[in-house]
Amino acid sequence: MTRTIAEINEKIRKGQAVVVTAEEVIDLVEKEGVEKAAQRVDVVTTGTFGPMCSSGAYFNLGHSKPRIKIGGGRAYLNDVPAYTGIAAVDIFLGATALPDDDPRNRIHPGAFNYGGGHVIEELVAGKDVRLAVSAYGTDCYPRKRMETWTNIKDMNEAVLFNIRNAYQNYNVAVNLSDKTLYTYMGVLKPNLGSANYSSAGQLSPLLNDPYYRTIGIGTRIFLGGGIGYVAWHGTQHNPNVPRSDKGVPTRGAGTLTVIGDLKQMKPQWLVGASMVGYGCTLTVGIGIPIPILSEEILRYTAVRDEEIFAPIVDYAEAYPQRSPEILGEASYGELKSGRIIVQEKEVLTASLSSYPKAVEIANTLKEWIVRGDFLLTEPVASLPGVEAGITFKPLKERPIEE
Amino acid sequence: MAISRRVVLHFPPRLVDQPIIYQLVKEHNLVLNILKASVTPNEEGLLILELSGAQKDYDQGIRYLQEVGVRIQSLGQNIVRNETRCTHCGACIAICPTGALALDPKTRLVNFLEDRCTACEICVLACPPRAMEVHF
Ligand code: SF4
Ligand code: SF4
């Protein structure tokens, strides 16, 4: 059985495409077998909704009268600093940016109530945001100061541009020390008091296409409640990790860079988040359609939580000290049961990524496709695969001699 | 007038083995629902109760507890979950000491069981989208 994306799109246009979610496909394959299921199903939709720190947005704010050169100056949106080292009225706001006067961890653990991710959520919600700018003034851009309300609808462009999202698998974080840890993986109770994980598992996009056979540069996706595209592989993309017999990575592996028009996204799918004692971030909703071009591709999408394993890592010692040591592996089936065994102790699990929301995303994308509102795209280039021989480099420090 | 209040009772070590709660129920006509209890030897005992009964009985019961030396903290505030902000991620499940935030294994939604919540506030900062709110 083989199928092309053009054929699938033809069926979508006619309203005849058969679309199931990456959760539904599991039962289908169980009942009908791979061969029959592959004949029937055209598209499998995936979804994930979790905190993704390497997210941000760039904006073109429009030119004031008289003009001001924000580029090279300072710009704040609701007191959160944006990056200005680009042209006059373009700025980039990162999800983890914090107001200059945030108490951070001065009193540990800091609350991190408001940051870049929250500004993005408010902009998407259509709220007015305070823009404060200081610049050095030039002949052609004379103004030095500006404070004004702004709104996403008044900007020329507002584009979500996330340089690392949708991690293909991730660590399970535990705490072997005797004090509570406040991490980007959430609050970790002492003495193996909790195990936090963050992946939609069997619904997660790259876990359903483990060798990047269909997801590539130019793939159209559900992004933040609107439409986006895969722009590149994400930072730290590292296909060369241990994999199960079925090819599923058992460590953090592939990642995606995604882009899309922020103006058509929804605040429900871009939620500002605060990690106590760590910082601010943005919870991003992503859904990716997988065209069933062959039986092999369908077989990958039928992966279930029990077959996907994640490494258990101590965030008291091993993670901060970059020691490669792991305490074992747990399947998402076990993690989702609420308890795993680590060092012979039963440990309660908690998830940072929302499974019910991932299901909702996969279902929304399915509806879009079934209704004929969302056509699939042919990737213009593949993501680097195992054969690319990427190695994940640590930072080697070299002393700077005076 | 019948009332229902949640209180946190701190028992100094010398009171831990006294039948205080028995007295509270018997002498003061109060109905109690134990939300949390932890007693460790040589340490303070902690009991979180929901006390219901007539206002008069409640006041007398509280006075009795104070007289025997139990320190009382009232849970005047309430923890409310902002349902539009909750993403049902589950980051709060393992840290909630009373099991008031619990995963429904079928729907995978996180249920907030208000009657088990002791308003300890641990979840307030630990919830990434800050869906758990303190209301007074
Ligand atoms: S941590 Fe917050 S958002 Fe997540 S399930 Fe608990 S209350 Fe809801
Ligand atoms: S305040 Fe939060 S953590 Fe504490 S008991 Fe209530 S729900 Fe659980």
Side-chain angles (χ1 to χ4, degrees):
Chain A
M1 193 286 310
T2 54
R3 230 189 234 109
T4 65
I5 289 180
E7 284 163 5
I8 296 174
N9 279 340
E10 202 37 51
K11 283 176 107 178
I12 297 175
R13 277 195 209 95
K14 288 192 190 138
Q16 294 167 349
V18 177
V19 189
V20 297
T21 69
E23 195 181 58
E24 293 163 342
V25 78
I26 296 171
D27 289 344
L28 195 72
V29 167
E30 182 125 298
K31 261 198 232 116
E32 302 190 356
V34 172
E35 204 178 317
K36 261 205 177 150
Q39 250 151 33
R40 215 143 75 79
V41 176
D42 298 299
V43 185
V44 171
T45 58
T46 63
T48 184
F49 187 66
M52 305 192 196
C53 288
S54 258
S55 301
Y58 63 82
F59 308 98
N60 179 283
L61 301 166
H63 290 270
S64 60
K65 187 177 169 186
R67 292 180 198 265
I68 185 163
K69 181 178 183 282
I70 303 170
R74 300 254 179 279
Y76 295 86
L77 291 167
N78 281 354
D79 298 325
V80 179
Y83 180 73
T84 65
I86 31 181
V89 297
D90 289 338
I91 60 172
F92 182 88
L93 177 67
T96 69
L98 293 172
D100 290 344
D101 59 0
D102 187 279
R104 298 194 161 81
N105 272 333
R106 213 172 300 141
I107 299 167
H108 188 81
F112 300 99
N113 285 321
Y114 196 83
H118 299 87
V119 178
I120 292 172
E121 180 188 334
E122 292 203 71
L123 280 166
V124 178
K127 290 193 187 149
D128 277 343
V129 163
R130 258 176 303 111
L131 169 68
V133 176
S134 63
Y136 48 85
T138 71
D139 289 345
C140 45
Y141 288 83
R143 222 164 139 187
K144 292 189 175 157
R145 249 165 222 297
M146 179 170 71
E147 276 193 40
T148 176
W149 290 106
T150 184
N151 191 290
I152 193 168
K153 65 179 193 304
D154 301 328
M155 298 176 182
N156 290 309
E157 286 84 19
V159 180
L160 189 74
F161 184 37
N162 303 346
I163 64 171
R164 180 169 74 248
N165 276 181
Y167 232 122
Q168 187 179 22
N169 215 344
Y170 211 77
N171 292 346
V172 179
V174 296
N175 176 4
L176 293 181
S177 79
D178 57 8
K179 59 177 209 293
T180 301
L181 296 177
Y182 299 91
T183 74
Y184 71 90
M185 290 296 287
V187 180
L188 302 176
K189 293 209 294 185
N191 306 311
L192 287 172
S194 55
N196 291 9
Y197 64 100
S198 190
S199 169
Q202 63 192 17
L203 258 187
S204 183
L206 291 176
L207 287 171
N208 281 280
D209 184 9
Y211 290 112
Y212 331 112
R213 293 274 151 81
T214 69
I215 301 172
I217 296 169
T219 298
R220 184 180 290 138
I221 63 173
F222 170 111
L223 178 60
I227 284 174
Y229 295 86
V230 174
W232 203 250
H233 61 272
T235 55
Q236 290 179 194
H237 179 75
N238 180 24
N240 283 306
V241 299
R243 288 171 183 259
S244 72
D245 317 340
K246 292 192 174 167
V248 181
T250 55
R251 302 286 181 274
T255 66
L256 298 175
T257 294
V258 297
I259 191 163
D261 179 8
L262 195 63
K263 293 191 183 193
Q264 37 101 46
M265 295 186 194
K266 303 207 165 55
Q268 173 198 0
W269 299 115
L270 290 172
V271 178
S274 303
M275 305 310 294
V276 56
Y278 180 75
C280 288
T281 185
L282 183 68
T283 301
V284 182
I286 293 184
I288 304 189
I290 297 180
I292 303 306
L293 306 177
S294 67
E295 281 174 18
E296 186 200 9
I297 288 169
L298 180 96
R299 196 174 296 118
Y300 288 133
T301 63
V303 71
R304 52 175 75 234
D305 283 332
E306 290 70 24
E307 302 166 320
I308 310 171
F309 288 84
I312 304 165
V313 177
D314 171 36
Y315 275 62
E317 229 357 81
Y319 185 84
Q321 299 307 327
R322 218 192 71 204
S323 131
E325 194 186 316
I326 65 165
L327 302 167
E329 288 181 355
S331 77
Y332 285 96
E334 294 166 310
L335 287 162
K336 287 178 185 171
S337 78
R339 273 151 228 275
I340 57 168
I341 306 285
V342 186
Q343 295 189 336
E344 286 161 28
K345 192 180 164 193
E346 200 179 74
V347 185
L348 289 178
T349 60
S351 171
L352 293 176
S353 146
S354 168
Y355 192 77
K357 293 283 172 187
V359 172
E360 207 178 320
I361 289 171
N363 276 321
T364 306
L365 183 54
K366 174 177 152 178
E367 267 165 46
W368 290 356
I369 298 171
V370 168
R371 276 206 316 254
D373 292 345
F374 186 106
L375 293 177
L376 308 193
T377 55
E378 196 92 50
V380 293
S382 303
L383 300 173
V386 177
E387 72 293 340
I390 292 175
T391 51
F392 184 29
K393 293 193 257 321
L395 176 73
K396 278 204 202 100
E397 291 174 70
R398 286 179 288 134
I400 298 169
E401 255 114 77
E402 292 294 313
Chain B
M1 194 185 66
I3 57 155
S4 175
R5 292 267 157 80
R6 287 180 197 180
V7 289
V8 183
L9 307 181
H10 299 270
F11 291 77
R14 71 184 160 84
L15 291 182
V16 165
D17 54 359
Q18 303 288 309
I20 291 170
I21 296 306
Y22 171 76
Q23 293 290 344
L24 187 68
V25 174
K26 193 164 159 258
E27 302 293 324
H28 301 282
N29 247 335
L30 293 171
V31 176
L32 62 85
N33 180 14
I34 299 179
L35 299 168
K36 188 182 179 187
S38 75
V39 185
T40 33
N42 309 319
E43 268 176 45
E44 193 191 66
L46 175 92
L47 195 59
I48 303 177
L49 296 179
E50 184 166 67
L51 292 172
S52 327
Q55 177 82 55
K56 180 172 68 57
D57 291 334
Y58 175 82
D59 292 343
Q60 277 175 6
I62 292 291
R63 209 168 310 132
Y64 159 73
L65 291 171
Q66 283 167 330
E67 275 163 14
V68 295
V70 175
R71 190 160 59 83
I72 303 167
Q73 199 187 335
S74 114
L75 291 179
Q77 75 273 46
N78 244 324
I79 299 291
V80 175
R81 183 165 74 177
N82 180 335
E83 297 296 338
T84 55
R85 276 206 83 71
C86 173
T87 66
H88 294 273
C89 60
C92 50
I93 292 171
I95 57 151
C96 171
T98 66
L101 289 157
L103 188 71
D104 180 329
K106 271 232 178 68
T107 60
R108 306 221 63 88
L109 294 171
V110 177
N111 292 329
F112 177 41
L113 311 167
E114 281 161 65
D115 52 347
R116 299 188 72 166
C117 173
T118 57
C120 71
E121 296 185 29
I122 290 176
C123 57
V124 174
L125 285 183
C127 164
R130 295 290 155 77
M132 302 303 289
E133 297 170 354
V134 185
H135 288 210
F136 294 93

